Amino acid sequence: MGLLPLEFSDCYLDSPAFRDRMKAHEAELEKTNRFIKELNKDGKNLITATKNLAVAQRKFAQSLGEFKFEYIGDAKTDDEKCIDESLQEFASFLKNLEEQREIMLFNITETLLKPLEKFRKEQLGAAKEERKKYEKDTEKYYSALEKVLNMSAKKKDQQLQEADNQVEVMRLHFHEESLEYVCKLQEIQEKKKFDCAEPMLAFFQAVFTFYHQGYELAQDFSHYKTKLQINIQNTRNRFDGTRAEVEELMKKIKQNPEAHKRNSPLSIEGYLYVQEKRPPPFGSSWVKKYCIYLKEQKIFNMVSFDHRSGGKTGEPESFILKSCTKKTGDSIDKRFCLELEVADRPGLIITVQALLEEDRKQWMQAMGGKEPVYKLGKTYSKREGIEANLDEVGFSLLKNCISAVESRGITDQGLYRVVGVSSRVMKLVGILMDKKTFSEVDLSASDEWDIKTVTSALKQYLRSLPEPLMTYELYKEFIVPAKCSTPESRVDAIHYLVYKLPEKNREMLGMIMKHLANVSANCKQNLMTVANLGVVFGPTLMRPQEETVAAIMDLKFQNIVVEILIENHVKIFGSAPDGSVTTPVALSSSEPNAPPRLSKRQNSRQNRPLAVYNPSVELQAADCPNSVKDDTSLGSTDSVSSQSSTATNSSTSGSPPEETKNHFSTNGGDLMDWASISRSTMIPWLNASSTTTPTSPSPAAAFSPEGTNSDKSGDSVTYRKAKAVFSCEAEHGSELSFPVGAIFEDVTSSREPGWLEGKLDGKRGLIPINYVEFL
């Protein structure tokens, strides 16, 4: 039951029950006073804790922003670039979030704590003052009343009358104070309901606004998050393939380390113990030094290095070698020794000791010795007992396998990823490469050999060639364009390099790429996108002559080269490159010409007016070349090089969209178990990396600083036409996609900085301001 009301008529009776009801009202106000005090204290603690959280979050963001990933090799893939930038993106997101939290803290103080404290002091404080005054008047009135009642009746009538008049005045004053106090008590009881609840509502509105702002930031961040998830998956898949290759190389080196020593024809290097003679009677000492001998210049360099002292390095020494002779055991009590005669210091002989007899022989040969160096190493084909060549038999095998795949198994899931039984694969390769029987076998008309055995046989033949189809000589040149950031130049450079291949190599490569394009066109069924085919055939078609960890780190770029060849096979193999092109375009360091889109920049997300502009992210299913989209499509995303084909088809002057990709783990194309391919939806991403501005007049100049062309009265808006000078693909539903040359109607400025609004083909949406010029 709630508080009983205080009747004004009871003020005149001033009964014990009335006083009890009044005390109940006073106790409730006192409880409210304590509540507000406690709440104020808790609110300050909350603000302090939140500020500490904000400081910790900002420190965390600072740590994220200051760290950078190092990468192995001389270039990063697009996925690695995105991952490298992700920590800065996360830091920026957290800083933006903390800015919103600071606004919330300010609102807590202004909308909750100050109003409640004001109510406590002004209203509850006033009630306390009224109570004190009421109690004082009560004491005064009843004391005067008792005094008058105790007066003797024998007093004069005039004295008694005066005393009665004084008591009557005090009684009237007491009743007035009682009425006002009762009114004040009930007024505050009613007023506290909204004077306390309203600040609470404002506080929670501030909290909800903060969380809503966080939601808006998360929504704006989601397209980047989706892309980063794909980048991470692609990098993990490449890591799986690279790790398999590294482990295989490590196993080979463990089994036969001598066959994998990195001895260059131009130099030899390694550790030698050098004798340092001392004056008698101290004798001599042997110091371990790392030595490099340059054969052509006959320059011998050495530097002392002690592994046991934390890798302390001494001063480098250098001299020109005149001759090298073997030091026999008769003249020195050491094994594996050589005498080096110095040409630029006549009479100086340096004695060195190799680590092993085999090392001594190699140093001897490099420095002019007559002992041959034991050399290992066989081609893959000889190790497997296969004599594969680019001859009639080889072309027949290739055509036979391709015909069988395209007629019987083009839609088989995991085509070229699912492998056949090794023994049957080797048997089929032997049959197809037998010069007596190769023309008698028709794989497309026979079900004796399943498709996975046929595809494995084709890959086995390619790996068994004396050198890769794309040659050792051009390996590094092919890798360079894949590391270039300009999509158009990648295609042009690889087009140029393909025509540096021997004619038979180019012819066979063209057949393979045409076939792989047909395979990828059926990726809805076989799940083999261009990216997946790049993973399978990258190490098969191109590899370095020397197996090293550094070379394995370039696997990801081999895959990109093959993706570009597949997607652009018509252009590349259809005709020779322009005769005016004498060097690969991709070798230049030029940046793409298209200007960056503001929505993709970090500051754009921070400054976006969330309450005005908050487009939702449209997710699209993974696209397969030449296939129809549906809601049940399976497989991975398109390849990283798909941006290249888009560039050549849709834009001649701008930077095209760069689609995301999804590579799956492989061991470089060797026989392996099928790795399951994830089924996912993707989001297109424009990866503009240039800061170059277009040479056309800036569209921003067409509008006033307020964003519109105004007449003198400032009431009318001028609608203009504009022409696209770069192609663009929309990232959100509120943006327009358009090719180069598209004409926009009714173009006006947008409330979103860096954007215009216009109409294209009946649809109105946002246009990047630096992608168009006005007509």
Side-chain angles (χ1 to χ4, degrees), residues 178-431:
S178 179
L179 289 171
E180 289 180 4
Y181 182 52
V182 166
C183 181
K184 189 69 173 179
L185 281 178
Q186 297 189 117
E187 175 187 322
I188 295 174
Q189 290 290 5
E190 293 299 311
K191 199 173 182 181
K192 74 177 183 181
K193 297 174 184 177
F194 53 85
D195 274 356
C196 290
E198 193 172 40
M200 298 287 185
L201 176 62
F203 161 69
F204 280 100
Q205 180 62 34
V207 174
F208 296 151
T209 300
F210 167 70
Y211 285 113
H212 180 69
Q213 293 282 18
Y215 171 77
E216 295 284 2
L217 289 172
Q219 286 292 99
D220 199 35
F221 195 75
S222 62
H223 66 290
Y224 178 81
K225 180 189 70 175
T226 303
K227 177 180 183 291
L228 182 60
Q229 288 172 334
I230 297 170
N231 295 137
I232 292 171
Q233 182 61 37
N234 291 343
T235 305
R236 179 182 286 112
N237 292 334
R238 290 197 188 98
F239 165 76
D240 292 336
T242 302
R243 179 175 59 183
E245 291 289 331
V246 171
E247 290 174 352
E248 181 65 23
L249 176 60
M250 183 174 64
K251 187 187 299 182
K252 290 178 184 178
I253 292 177
K254 282 182 179 179
Q255 293 172 349
N256 194 352
E258 294 299 325
H260 292 83
K261 281 193 174 179
R262 301 178 61 190
N263 288 329
S264 166
L266 302 178
S267 65
I268 184 172
E269 56 186 298
Y271 283 102
L272 293 174
Y273 281 84
V274 180
Q275 185 183 35
E276 293 188 353
K277 297 180 180 179
R278 300 177 182 176
F282 299 105
S284 62
S285 63
W286 294 82
V287 180
K288 183 175 69 173
K289 298 191 177 185
Y290 193 78
C291 304
I292 302 175
Y293 178 66
L294 304 177
K295 299 178 184 179
E296 187 174 341
Q297 296 91 345
K298 291 191 175 183
I299 296 176
F300 194 97
N301 300 309
M302 56 185 180
V303 61
S304 60
F305 184 80
D306 190 354
H307 293 85
R308 293 168 297 184
S309 62
K312 185 177 180 181
T313 304
E315 291 294 326
E317 303 174 55
S318 179
F319 59 84
I320 298 175
L321 181 70
K322 182 177 181 181
S323 65
C324 170
T325 57
K326 178 181 177 181
K327 191 88 168 176
T328 62
D330 298 335
S331 58
I332 190 170
D333 188 22
K334 291 279 187 179
R335 298 183 298 162
F336 321 136
C337 290
L338 302 169
E339 278 191 351
L340 310 181
E341 185 177 356
V342 180
D344 50 345
R345 302 176 200 171
L348 179 60
I349 303 294
I350 298 176
T351 303
V352 298
Q353 181 185 26
L355 306 182
L356 299 167
E357 177 62 20
E358 185 64 30
D359 286 342
R360 186 194 65 77
K361 290 180 181 180
Q362 291 183 358
W363 282 100
M364 278 284 292
Q365 184 191 34
M367 294 186 289
K370 297 180 181 180
E371 293 185 30
V373 176
Y374 180 71
K375 208 168 184 182
L376 296 176
K378 297 180 180 180
T379 64
Y380 188 98
S381 60
K382 290 181 180 178
R383 291 199 304 269
E384 297 294 334
I386 301 172
E387 293 291 341
N389 293 291
L390 294 176
D391 53 13
E392 181 185 0
V393 175
F395 277 91
S396 173
L397 180 149
L398 190 72
K399 292 175 183 177
N400 208 341
C401 292
I402 289 175
S403 176
V405 171
E406 295 192 349
S407 61
R408 296 197 288 123
I410 195 72
T411 59
D412 286 9
Q413 283 195 7
L415 194 62
Y416 287 106
R417 288 292 296 269
V418 178
V419 299
V421 179
S422 182
S423 58
R424 283 185 58 79
V425 172
M426 298 308 297
K427 181 179 178 181
L428 177 58
V429 172
I431 295 173

Side-chain angles (χ1 to χ4, degrees), residues 645-716:
S645 58
T646 307
T648 55
N649 293 334
S650 65
S651 175
T652 59
S653 62
S655 176
E658 181 172 306
E659 295 181 6
T660 53
K661 51 200 176 294
N662 191 10
H663 291 192
F664 292 88
S665 59
T666 179
N667 63 357
D670 291 337
L671 300 180
M672 57 173 287
D673 294 331
W674 167 247
S676 61
I677 299 181
S678 64
R679 304 173 180 183
S680 58
T681 55
M682 309 303 155
I683 181 168
W685 179 257
L686 295 174
N687 188 13
S689 58
S690 169
T691 56
T692 308
T693 55
T695 57
S696 58
S698 171
F703 294 105
S704 64
E706 290 77 12
T708 59
N709 265 347
S710 303
D711 59 12
K712 294 181 180 180
S713 64
D715 296 329
S716 62

Side-chain angles (χ1 to χ4, degrees), residues 34-208:
R34 290 196 303 271
F35 162 71
I36 293 176
K37 273 188 175 181
E38 192 67 25
L39 189 67
N40 195 10
K41 179 182 175 182
D42 292 341
K44 290 178 179 178
N45 292 338
L46 173 62
I47 291 174
T48 302
T50 306
K51 285 182 177 178
N52 291 336
L53 172 62
V55 170
Q57 290 267 50
R58 288 185 180 277
K59 182 64 176 67
F60 182 71
Q62 181 182 356
S63 299
L64 284 178
E66 291 175 352
F67 183 79
K68 285 187 176 294
F69 291 108
E70 291 296 335
Y71 59 93
I72 301 175
D74 58 355
K76 293 182 285 189
T77 63
D78 295 332
D79 293 317
E80 290 170 334
K81 290 175 184 175
C82 184
I83 291 174
D84 192 33
E85 296 167 358
S86 63
L87 296 186
Q88 285 72 38
E89 291 283 348
F90 295 150
S92 173
F93 179 82
L94 285 176
K95 289 176 181 176
N96 206 349
L97 193 63
E98 290 314 307
E99 290 175 4
Q100 302 300 327
R101 196 189 303 277
E102 287 181 0
I103 296 174
M104 181 188 72
L105 289 178
F106 176 78
N107 288 337
I108 290 175
T109 302
E110 294 297 320
T111 61
L112 176 64
L113 300 184
K114 286 185 177 181
L116 286 179
E117 186 64 14
K118 181 180 179 181
F119 175 80
R120 189 183 73 83
K121 289 181 177 180
E122 293 182 359
Q123 301 297 326
L124 299 181
K128 276 189 175 183
E129 293 299 322
E130 288 287 337
R131 177 183 175 184
K132 290 179 182 179
K133 187 177 179 182
Y134 176 71
E135 289 176 347
K136 185 177 180 181
D137 289 339
T138 300
E139 177 68 23
K140 188 176 180 182
Y141 167 66
Y142 282 108
S143 295
L145 182 62
E146 289 178 0
K147 184 177 180 181
V148 169
L149 293 176
N150 289 331
M151 288 180 67
S152 173
K154 297 177 180 181
K155 293 277 185 180
K156 293 180 179 181
D157 291 340
Q158 184 178 359
Q159 291 179 330
L160 292 176
Q161 186 65 35
E162 288 178 357
D164 289 342
N165 290 338
Q166 289 179 356
V167 169
E168 182 64 18
V169 171
M170 295 180 67
R171 182 180 66 79
L172 293 174
H173 179 71
F174 170 68
H175 287 163
E176 287 178 2
E177 287 294 329
S178 179
L179 289 171
E180 289 180 4
Y181 182 52
V182 166
C183 181
K184 189 69 173 179
L185 281 178
Q186 297 189 117
E187 175 187 322
I188 295 174
Q189 290 290 5
E190 293 299 311
K191 199 173 182 181
K192 74 177 183 181
K193 297 174 184 177
F194 53 85
D195 274 356
C196 290
E198 193 172 40
M200 298 287 185
L201 176 62
F203 161 69
F204 280 100
Q205 180 62 34
V207 174
F208 296 151

